[in-house]
Structure formats: structure tokens, C-alpha cells
Amino acid sequence: MLQKVEGIIIRTINYGETNKIVTVFTRENGKLAFMARGARKPNSRLSAITQPLTHGQFLVQRGSGLGTLQQGEILTSMRHVREDLMITAYAAYMVELLDKSTDDQQVNPYLYEFLKQSLYYLNEGYDAEILTNIFEMKMLQVIGLRPELSSCVQCQSYEGRFSFSVRENGLLCHRCFDIDPHRLPLSQPAIRLLRLFYYIDLERLGAINVKPETKKELRAAISLYYDEYSGLFLKSRRFIDQLEKMEAIFTERKQED
């Protein structure tokens, strides 16, 4: 059965000498895998349309087994994302996180629109680190994790100074700090952003301006939480960590010079 689907390519695997198996995340059908015959040939009409992160319209042949990608039209190539290695790494992390957190043909129109909007923002030059933090916080509910970020986990107070407790699964106010001696003493701006990222409607996202020290706090808290509860091991996250270390070393040497 021939069918037109709109989607975003989130994974590609080389198959044989000239073919690819592409996984497309679609609004109406969730994740679908297709064979793209000859897509690895430089002059193939499927070469451009089967690049990772491409948002396109695809004509596919679907059956009981692996479908076939017949042709496609690029809606957005994510050119700006592809031109910057670090931004590409963040985008790859987003799609891998989504891929590992969802089942095949698990239909979720909201999640599709969320991924598309996140990649569009990356392509438009929004802060990649912060967009990734927002993506991670919003994906928690998809994974089935629900940290308490509106009030204190212990006393349910909405007022006071707060820290983030990975062990207690949420915020602790200053009156309850002694419950977790290993809580993260985040700054109050970092606490507010954690809460905002979890609840925000991405389409309402305005200008992003977060201090470097606050970004480090957010990265530490979110990474620890994912390590503790998600059970996910993502190669793209390790690649980002390596790039960030290399960038830090380069910056330090440049300052010394």
C-alpha cells in the first residue's frame, strides 16, 4: 500500500553496499522503518532525503514487514544545524533520547510536534544547551518520570529556598534540607529554570539568556537525575561531553596565549 507520511528521520543504518534502513518519526504513525534502496549512491534521488534530522514528506510502500521508501520531498534540511558540529551533536542527542524512549508505532502527535519545534529552534540559532535541557525535562514524562518541582517533596511548601534532591525525586525547601545531605545546592535561578523547563509550552519560548554558571548547574542536576532513574545509555551524550571538554581545553589555552 502506497502512503504519504510527514516525518523526521531520527536514525539511519547502512544496509549492504548501497542501501539504507531509515527510521522516520511521524505524527500519525509514530516510528516507522523503511528500506531506502540505493540511497548511499551519490547520484541517488534518495540520497539527500535520507539524511539524519531531515524533515520531509515521504512516499512509502507499507506492508506486513519492513516498508520501502519510494521517494521524498525535503521540507526542512536543518542546514544551520548541520553546519555546526556542536549543534549537530545536541540535535543527535535529542533524537536518540526520543528514539530510546519510545516504542515502534507508538503514536504521540504532541511528541512529534515537540521534536519538530525543538529542531526548528536549533536551526534558527537558539541556545542549543538550553534547548537540550528543556527537551530533557519534557521527555521525563514520556519516560514515566515525574519529579516534584512545584513544591517541597517533604512538607509540600511552595515558599522558601530550595535545593534539588535526586534521591527524594524533587525539590526540598530549606526547612527539610537535612533529609538529604547529598542534595544539590542549586542557585535559585537554576531551581526556577528547572521548574520552568518542565512545565513550559515550547511554542511560547522567548529569548534565552542563561549565565554559564547556571548552565553548569542545570547540566549537573539533569545528568544526575537521568543517570539515577532513566536507565538510558546514549552514545550521543558521551560525544557531547567529549566535545565540551575539548572546547573547554581550547578556550583555556586561548586565554593563556
Side-chain angles (χ1 to χ4, degrees):
M1 176 181 70
L2 280 175
Q3 179 182 357
K4 267 191 175 183
V5 297
E6 178 185 332
I8 298 165
I9 294 184
I10 61 172
R11 182 167 22 112
T12 65
I13 301 173
N14 292 338
Y15 186 82
E17 294 185 1
T18 61
N19 307 323
K20 286 183 185 178
I21 296 176
V22 298
T23 300
V24 184
F25 189 64
T26 71
R27 188 181 192 279
E28 305 298 338
N29 303 102
K31 285 192 299 187
L32 299 173
F34 302 102
M35 177 69 73
R37 301 189 185 282
R40 295 173 62 193
K41 295 179 180 179
N43 59 347
S44 170
R45 58 190 172 82
L46 297 180
S47 178
I49 194 66
T50 56
Q51 295 301 310
L53 307 178
T54 298
H55 173 215
Q57 192 83 248
F58 305 94
L59 181 65
V60 298
Q61 179 82 43
R62 295 185 64 188
S64 57
L66 183 67
T68 304
L69 176 61
Q70 301 289 345
Q71 63 187 58
E73 175 189 357
I74 295 175
L75 299 178
T76 310
S77 65
M78 305 296 170
R79 180 179 176 182
H80 175 70
V81 173
R82 297 177 193 281
E83 290 175 345
D84 188 295
L85 179 60
M86 184 61 81
I87 298 176
T88 301
Y90 282 117
Y93 173 64
M94 287 182 181
V95 296
E96 187 183 7
L97 175 55
L98 180 140
D99 189 15
K100 293 292 180 64
S101 303
T102 55
D103 297 324
D104 291 345
Q105 299 185 40
Q106 176 183 334
V107 179
N108 189 331
Y110 163 78
L111 191 54
Y112 172 74
E113 294 297 334
F114 175 60
L115 174 64
K116 184 173 75 171
Q117 188 66 62
S118 298
L119 293 177
Y120 270 41
Y121 278 149
L122 278 178
N123 200 50
E124 290 169 9
Y126 280 63
D127 190 310
E129 289 179 78
I130 295 303
L131 281 173
T132 302
N133 291 159
I134 295 173
F135 195 86
E136 290 172 310
M137 293 302 292
K138 302 294 282 186
M139 283 298 296
L140 289 177
Q141 296 182 54
V142 177
I143 299 171
L145 300 174
R146 291 175 173 78
E148 176 53 68
L149 296 172
S150 60
S151 64
C152 176
V153 175
Q154 180 66 18
C155 70
Q156 287 76 55
S157 174
Y158 291 90
E159 298 179 353
R161 290 181 294 107
F162 290 91
S163 287
F164 184 70
S165 172
V166 173
R167 190 187 73 184
E168 298 299 323
N169 195 36
L171 301 181
L172 286 174
C173 73
H174 64 276
R175 292 170 289 271
C176 302
F177 280 173
D178 58 350
I179 292 172
D180 182 8
H182 302 294
R183 69 190 183 279
L184 297 177
L186 303 181
S187 65
Q188 296 314 293
I191 293 289
R192 287 194 294 271
L193 286 173
L194 271 183
R195 183 184 291 128
L196 175 65
F197 293 171
Y198 187 71
Y199 292 109
I200 192 173
D201 179 350
L202 192 63
E203 291 186 354
R204 297 183 179 182
L205 184 67
I208 303 173
N209 186 15
V210 180
K211 295 179 180 178
E213 55 268 27
T214 306
K215 287 184 179 182
K216 289 181 180 179
E217 292 182 277
L218 293 168
R219 173 78 271 129
I222 296 172
S223 293
L224 282 172
Y225 191 82
Y226 264 84
D227 290 346
E228 181 68 22
Y229 293 114
S230 73
L232 298 174
F233 176 78
L234 305 180
K235 293 180 180 179
S236 53
R237 179 69 254 175
R238 290 185 61 192
F239 183 59
I240 289 174
D241 292 341
Q242 291 169 354
L243 286 179
E244 288 177 343
K245 287 178 182 177
M246 291 172 60
E247 190 176 71
I249 293 171
F250 177 78
T251 302
E252 186 177 332
R253 288 180 178 174
K254 192 173 182 181
Q255 290 174 345
E256 289 175 355
D257 295 341

mmCIF file of all heavy atoms in Angstrom, residues 5-38:
data_model
loop_
_atom_site.group_PDB
_atom_site.id
_atom_site.type_symbol
_atom_site.label_atom_id
_atom_site.label_comp_id
_atom_site.label_asym_id
_atom_site.label_seq_id
_atom_site.Cartn_x
_atom_site.Cartn_y
_atom_site.Cartn_z
ATOM 1 N N VAL A 5 3.649 10.072 4.096
ATOM 2 C CA VAL A 5 3.787 10.387 5.517
ATOM 3 C C VAL A 5 4.735 11.569 5.685
ATOM 4 O O VAL A 5 5.705 11.707 4.936
ATOM 5 C CB VAL A 5 4.314 9.177 6.334
ATOM 6 C CG1 VAL A 5 3.332 8.019 6.287
ATOM 7 C CG2 VAL A 5 5.691 8.735 5.859
ATOM 8 N N GLU A 6 4.421 12.422 6.644
ATOM 9 C CA GLU A 6 5.331 13.501 7.008
ATOM 10 C C GLU A 6 6.095 13.065 8.246
ATOM 11 O O GLU A 6 5.521 12.497 9.176
ATOM 12 C CB GLU A 6 4.565 14.788 7.315
ATOM 13 C CG GLU A 6 5.476 15.940 7.743
ATOM 14 C CD GLU A 6 4.699 17.186 8.169
ATOM 15 O OE1 GLU A 6 3.583 17.382 7.668
ATOM 16 O OE2 GLU A 6 5.212 17.945 9.013
ATOM 17 N N GLY A 7 7.391 13.308 8.263
ATOM 18 C CA GLY A 7 8.153 12.879 9.425
ATOM 19 C C GLY A 7 9.561 13.444 9.459
ATOM 20 O O GLY A 7 9.974 14.203 8.580
ATOM 21 N N ILE A 8 10.292 13.037 10.491
ATOM 22 C CA ILE A 8 11.674 13.453 10.714
ATOM 23 C C ILE A 8 12.535 12.205 10.809
ATOM 24 O O ILE A 8 12.214 11.286 11.572
ATOM 25 C CB ILE A 8 11.790 14.278 12.008
ATOM 26 C CG1 ILE A 8 10.958 15.558 11.896
ATOM 27 C CG2 ILE A 8 13.253 14.620 12.316
ATOM 28 C CD1 ILE A 8 10.717 16.250 13.226
ATOM 29 N N ILE A 9 13.600 12.161 10.047
ATOM 30 C CA ILE A 9 14.484 10.994 10.093
ATOM 31 C C ILE A 9 15.324 11.048 11.364
ATOM 32 O O ILE A 9 16.104 11.983 11.573
ATOM 33 C CB ILE A 9 15.383 10.932 8.848
ATOM 34 C CG1 ILE A 9 14.521 10.686 7.613
ATOM 35 C CG2 ILE A 9 16.447 9.843 8.998
ATOM 36 C CD1 ILE A 9 15.282 10.506 6.334
ATOM 37 N N ILE A 10 15.150 10.052 12.213
ATOM 38 C CA ILE A 10 15.848 10.041 13.501
ATOM 39 C C ILE A 10 16.961 8.988 13.561
ATOM 40 O O ILE A 10 17.768 9.022 14.500
ATOM 41 C CB ILE A 10 14.859 9.822 14.671
ATOM 42 C CG1 ILE A 10 14.140 8.465 14.549
ATOM 43 C CG2 ILE A 10 13.860 10.967 14.748
ATOM 44 C CD1 ILE A 10 13.304 8.126 15.772
ATOM 45 N N ARG A 11 17.002 8.098 12.576
ATOM 46 C CA ARG A 11 18.056 7.069 12.603
ATOM 47 C C ARG A 11 18.259 6.499 11.205
ATOM 48 O O ARG A 11 17.295 6.294 10.469
ATOM 49 C CB ARG A 11 17.672 5.965 13.580
ATOM 50 C CG ARG A 11 18.705 4.861 13.730
ATOM 51 C CD ARG A 11 18.448 3.952 14.930
ATOM 52 N NE ARG A 11 17.105 3.916 15.421
ATOM 53 C CZ ARG A 11 16.293 2.856 15.339
ATOM 54 N NH1 ARG A 11 16.697 1.752 14.700
ATOM 55 N NH2 ARG A 11 15.088 2.888 15.877
ATOM 56 N N THR A 12 19.519 6.252 10.842
ATOM 57 C CA THR A 12 19.825 5.582 9.576
ATOM 58 C C THR A 12 20.861 4.492 9.828
ATOM 59 O O THR A 12 21.762 4.660 10.649
ATOM 60 C CB THR A 12 20.376 6.557 8.513
ATOM 61 O OG1 THR A 12 21.642 7.059 8.947
ATOM 62 C CG2 THR A 12 19.424 7.709 8.278
ATOM 63 N N ILE A 13 20.712 3.375 9.128
ATOM 64 C CA ILE A 13 21.655 2.271 9.225
ATOM 65 C C ILE A 13 22.022 1.840 7.811
ATOM 66 O O ILE A 13 21.132 1.617 6.971
ATOM 67 C CB ILE A 13 21.048 1.072 9.984
ATOM 68 C CG1 ILE A 13 20.640 1.479 11.402
ATOM 69 C CG2 ILE A 13 22.034 -0.104 10.035
ATOM 70 C CD1 ILE A 13 19.885 0.388 12.151
ATOM 71 N N ASN A 14 23.313 1.745 7.529
ATOM 72 C CA ASN A 14 23.738 1.257 6.219
ATOM 73 C C ASN A 14 23.377 -0.223 6.085
ATOM 74 O O ASN A 14 23.549 -1.010 7.029
ATOM 75 C CB ASN A 14 25.239 1.436 6.041
ATOM 76 C CG ASN A 14 25.638 2.895 5.944
ATOM 77 O OD1 ASN A 14 24.815 3.751 5.615
ATOM 78 N ND2 ASN A 14 26.880 3.193 6.254
ATOM 79 N N TYR A 15 22.891 -0.579 4.896
ATOM 80 C CA TYR A 15 22.480 -1.970 4.654
ATOM 81 C C TYR A 15 23.009 -2.387 3.288
ATOM 82 O O TYR A 15 22.612 -1.826 2.260
ATOM 83 C CB TYR A 15 20.959 -2.092 4.700
ATOM 84 C CG TYR A 15 20.450 -3.511 4.599
ATOM 85 C CD1 TYR A 15 20.407 -4.328 5.724
ATOM 86 C CD2 TYR A 15 20.039 -4.022 3.370
ATOM 87 C CE1 TYR A 15 19.942 -5.633 5.622
ATOM 88 C CE2 TYR A 15 19.581 -5.328 3.269
ATOM 89 C CZ TYR A 15 19.534 -6.126 4.404
ATOM 90 O OH TYR A 15 19.093 -7.426 4.319
ATOM 91 N N GLY A 16 23.906 -3.352 3.312
ATOM 92 C CA GLY A 16 24.535 -3.738 2.063
ATOM 93 C C GLY A 16 25.470 -2.646 1.569
ATOM 94 O O GLY A 16 25.891 -1.770 2.327
ATOM 95 N N GLU A 17 25.782 -2.677 0.295
ATOM 96 C CA GLU A 17 26.730 -1.714 -0.258
ATOM 97 C C GLU A 17 26.089 -0.379 -0.622
ATOM 98 O O GLU A 17 26.756 0.659 -0.621
ATOM 99 C CB GLU A 17 27.412 -2.308 -1.495
ATOM 100 C CG GLU A 17 28.306 -3.509 -1.180
ATOM 101 C CD GLU A 17 29.043 -3.992 -2.405
ATOM 102 O OE1 GLU A 17 28.872 -3.387 -3.491
ATOM 103 O OE2 GLU A 17 29.801 -4.978 -2.283
ATOM 104 N N THR A 18 24.805 -0.389 -0.934
ATOM 105 C CA THR A 18 24.202 0.839 -1.467
ATOM 106 C C THR A 18 22.912 1.266 -0.767
ATOM 107 O O THR A 18 22.389 2.344 -1.054
ATOM 108 C CB THR A 18 23.886 0.679 -2.968
ATOM 109 O OG1 THR A 18 22.953 -0.401 -3.138
ATOM 110 C CG2 THR A 18 25.156 0.390 -3.756
ATOM 111 N N ASN A 19 22.416 0.459 0.152
ATOM 112 C CA ASN A 19 21.101 0.742 0.739
ATOM 113 C C ASN A 19 21.205 1.323 2.147
ATOM 114 O O ASN A 19 22.245 1.253 2.800
ATOM 115 C CB ASN A 19 20.262 -0.544 0.790
ATOM 116 C CG ASN A 19 20.177 -1.240 -0.545
ATOM 117 O OD1 ASN A 19 20.106 -0.576 -1.588
ATOM 118 N ND2 ASN A 19 20.184 -2.562 -0.530
ATOM 119 N N LYS A 20 20.091 1.862 2.611
ATOM 120 C CA LYS A 20 19.953 2.342 3.979
ATOM 121 C C LYS A 20 18.626 1.852 4.551
ATOM 122 O O LYS A 20 17.644 1.709 3.806
ATOM 123 C CB LYS A 20 19.914 3.881 4.045
ATOM 124 C CG LYS A 20 21.201 4.616 3.828
ATOM 125 C CD LYS A 20 20.942 6.115 4.001
ATOM 126 C CE LYS A 20 22.159 6.954 3.688
ATOM 127 N NZ LYS A 20 21.846 8.413 3.834
ATOM 128 N N ILE A 21 18.616 1.625 5.850
ATOM 129 C CA ILE A 21 17.351 1.471 6.559
ATOM 130 C C ILE A 21 17.168 2.757 7.366
ATOM 131 O O ILE A 21 18.017 3.113 8.182
ATOM 132 C CB ILE A 21 17.355 0.252 7.497
ATOM 133 C CG1 ILE A 21 17.497 -1.032 6.685
ATOM 134 C CG2 ILE A 21 16.063 0.207 8.314
ATOM 135 C CD1 ILE A 21 17.613 -2.289 7.523
ATOM 136 N N VAL A 22 16.093 3.474 7.081
ATOM 137 C CA VAL A 22 15.849 4.754 7.759
ATOM 138 C C VAL A 22 14.656 4.618 8.697
ATOM 139 O O VAL A 22 13.669 3.953 8.370
ATOM 140 C CB VAL A 22 15.606 5.897 6.744
ATOM 141 C CG1 VAL A 22 16.825 6.110 5.876
ATOM 142 C CG2 VAL A 22 14.391 5.626 5.885
ATOM 143 N N THR A 23 14.786 5.235 9.863
ATOM 144 C CA THR A 23 13.682 5.276 10.810
ATOM 145 C C THR A 23 13.132 6.691 10.827
ATOM 146 O O THR A 23 13.876 7.655 11.064
ATOM 147 C CB THR A 23 14.133 4.865 12.224
ATOM 148 O OG1 THR A 23 14.657 3.531 12.187
ATOM 149 C CG2 THR A 23 12.961 4.910 13.210
ATOM 150 N N VAL A 24 11.842 6.801 10.563
ATOM 151 C CA VAL A 24 11.179 8.099 10.473
ATOM 152 C C VAL A 24 10.191 8.224 11.629
ATOM 153 O O VAL A 24 9.388 7.321 11.873
ATOM 154 C CB VAL A 24 10.423 8.247 9.131
ATOM 155 C CG1 VAL A 24 9.824 9.641 9.006
ATOM 156 C CG2 VAL A 24 11.354 7.949 7.959
ATOM 157 N N PHE A 25 10.274 9.348 12.345
ATOM 158 C CA PHE A 25 9.307 9.614 13.402
ATOM 159 C C PHE A 25 8.202 10.471 12.812
ATOM 160 O O PHE A 25 8.435 11.584 12.354
ATOM 161 C CB PHE A 25 9.969 10.325 14.584
ATOM 162 C CG PHE A 25 9.080 10.436 15.793
ATOM 163 C CD1 PHE A 25 8.643 9.306 16.467
ATOM 164 C CD2 PHE A 25 8.675 11.683 16.266
ATOM 165 C CE1 PHE A 25 7.825 9.397 17.575
ATOM 166 C CE2 PHE A 25 7.853 11.780 17.383
ATOM 167 C CZ PHE A 25 7.431 10.637 18.033
ATOM 168 N N THR A 26 6.985 9.933 12.793
ATOM 169 C CA THR A 26 5.865 10.600 12.142
ATOM 170 C C THR A 26 4.812 11.041 13.152
ATOM 171 O O THR A 26 4.739 10.517 14.265
ATOM 172 C CB THR A 26 5.186 9.667 11.119
ATOM 173 O OG1 THR A 26 4.484 8.620 11.819
ATOM 174 C CG2 THR A 26 6.217 9.034 10.194
ATOM 175 N N ARG A 27 4.003 11.987 12.747
ATOM 176 C CA ARG A 27 2.945 12.500 13.621
ATOM 177 C C ARG A 27 1.818 11.485 13.773
ATOM 178 O O ARG A 27 1.300 11.280 14.876
ATOM 179 C CB ARG A 27 2.388 13.813 13.057
ATOM 180 C CG ARG A 27 1.412 14.521 13.989
ATOM 181 C CD ARG A 27 0.885 15.797 13.362
ATOM 182 N NE ARG A 27 0.190 16.607 14.337
ATOM 183 C CZ ARG A 27 -1.067 16.407 14.712
ATOM 184 N NH1 ARG A 27 -1.764 15.420 14.190
ATOM 185 N NH2 ARG A 27 -1.630 17.200 15.610
ATOM 186 N N GLU A 28 1.448 10.847 12.690
ATOM 187 C CA GLU A 28 0.256 9.992 12.691
ATOM 188 C C GLU A 28 0.532 8.528 13.012
ATOM 189 O O GLU A 28 -0.360 7.804 13.454
ATOM 190 C CB GLU A 28 -0.443 10.077 11.326
ATOM 191 C CG GLU A 28 -0.804 11.488 10.892
ATOM 192 C CD GLU A 28 -1.780 12.167 11.845
ATOM 193 O OE1 GLU A 28 -2.497 11.468 12.582
ATOM 194 O OE2 GLU A 28 -1.816 13.417 11.853
ATOM 195 N N ASN A 29 1.786 8.086 12.781
ATOM 196 C CA ASN A 29 2.075 6.657 12.919
ATOM 197 C C ASN A 29 3.226 6.331 13.862
ATOM 198 O O ASN A 29 3.620 5.169 13.965
ATOM 199 C CB ASN A 29 2.382 6.051 11.542
ATOM 200 C CG ASN A 29 1.253 6.254 10.544
ATOM 201 O OD1 ASN A 29 1.331 7.120 9.678
ATOM 202 N ND2 ASN A 29 0.192 5.483 10.677
ATOM 203 N N GLY A 30 3.796 7.334 14.520
ATOM 204 C CA GLY A 30 4.929 7.070 15.389
ATOM 205 C C GLY A 30 6.179 6.734 14.592
ATOM 206 O O GLY A 30 6.381 7.219 13.482
ATOM 207 N N LYS A 31 7.009 5.843 15.122
ATOM 208 C CA LYS A 31 8.250 5.461 14.449
ATOM 209 C C LYS A 31 7.982 4.382 13.404
ATOM 210 O O LYS A 31 7.359 3.368 13.696
ATOM 211 C CB LYS A 31 9.274 4.926 15.460
ATOM 212 C CG LYS A 31 9.921 5.994 16.314
ATOM 213 C CD LYS A 31 11.108 5.465 17.088
ATOM 214 C CE LYS A 31 10.737 4.348 18.043
ATOM 215 N NZ LYS A 31 11.874 3.961 18.916
ATOM 216 N N LEU A 32 8.490 4.637 12.196
ATOM 217 C CA LEU A 32 8.358 3.669 11.114
ATOM 218 C C LEU A 32 9.723 3.479 10.458
ATOM 219 O O LEU A 32 10.462 4.452 10.269
ATOM 220 C CB LEU A 32 7.364 4.163 10.058
ATOM 221 C CG LEU A 32 5.913 4.404 10.511
ATOM 222 C CD1 LEU A 32 5.120 5.054 9.386
ATOM 223 C CD2 LEU A 32 5.261 3.093 10.953
ATOM 224 N N ALA A 33 10.048 2.238 10.112
ATOM 225 C CA ALA A 33 11.325 1.936 9.453
ATOM 226 C C ALA A 33 11.078 1.553 8.001
ATOM 227 O O ALA A 33 10.125 0.832 7.681
ATOM 228 C CB ALA A 33 12.044 0.811 10.187
ATOM 229 N N PHE A 34 11.972 2.038 7.117
ATOM 230 C CA PHE A 34 11.837 1.765 5.684
ATOM 231 C C PHE A 34 13.192 1.453 5.063
ATOM 232 O O PHE A 34 14.218 1.996 5.480
ATOM 233 C CB PHE A 34 11.234 2.978 4.952
ATOM 234 C CG PHE A 34 9.895 3.408 5.462
ATOM 235 C CD1 PHE A 34 9.776 4.507 6.291
ATOM 236 C CD2 PHE A 34 8.758 2.699 5.129
ATOM 237 C CE1 PHE A 34 8.543 4.906 6.779
ATOM 238 C CE2 PHE A 34 7.518 3.081 5.606
ATOM 239 C CZ PHE A 34 7.403 4.189 6.433
ATOM 240 N N MET A 35 13.158 0.604 4.069
ATOM 241 C CA MET A 35 14.347 0.372 3.263
ATOM 242 C C MET A 35 14.419 1.435 2.174
ATOM 243 O O MET A 35 13.433 1.674 1.460
ATOM 244 C CB MET A 35 14.283 -1.015 2.606
ATOM 245 C CG MET A 35 15.458 -1.326 1.693
ATOM 246 S SD MET A 35 17.002 -1.542 2.595
ATOM 247 C CE MET A 35 16.684 -3.167 3.336
ATOM 248 N N ALA A 36 15.580 2.094 2.087
ATOM 249 C CA ALA A 36 15.805 3.081 1.031
ATOM 250 C C ALA A 36 16.852 2.497 0.086
ATOM 251 O O ALA A 36 18.062 2.594 0.334
ATOM 252 C CB ALA A 36 16.272 4.412 1.619
ATOM 253 N N ARG A 37 16.396 1.888 -0.976
ATOM 254 C CA ARG A 37 17.294 1.178 -1.882
ATOM 255 C C ARG A 37 18.119 2.158 -2.736
ATOM 256 O O ARG A 37 17.565 3.067 -3.353
ATOM 257 C CB ARG A 37 16.495 0.240 -2.786
ATOM 258 C CG ARG A 37 15.701 -0.797 -1.999
ATOM 259 C CD ARG A 37 15.082 -1.854 -2.894
ATOM 260 N NE ARG A 37 14.241 -2.768 -2.115
ATOM 261 C CZ ARG A 37 14.705 -3.760 -1.358
ATOM 262 N NH1 ARG A 37 16.016 -3.970 -1.308
ATOM 263 N NH2 ARG A 37 13.879 -4.548 -0.684
ATOM 264 N N GLY A 38 19.430 1.944 -2.701
ATOM 265 C CA GLY A 38 20.339 2.782 -3.484
ATOM 266 C C GLY A 38 20.614 4.137 -2.881
ATOM 267 O O GLY A 38 21.276 4.974 -3.503
#
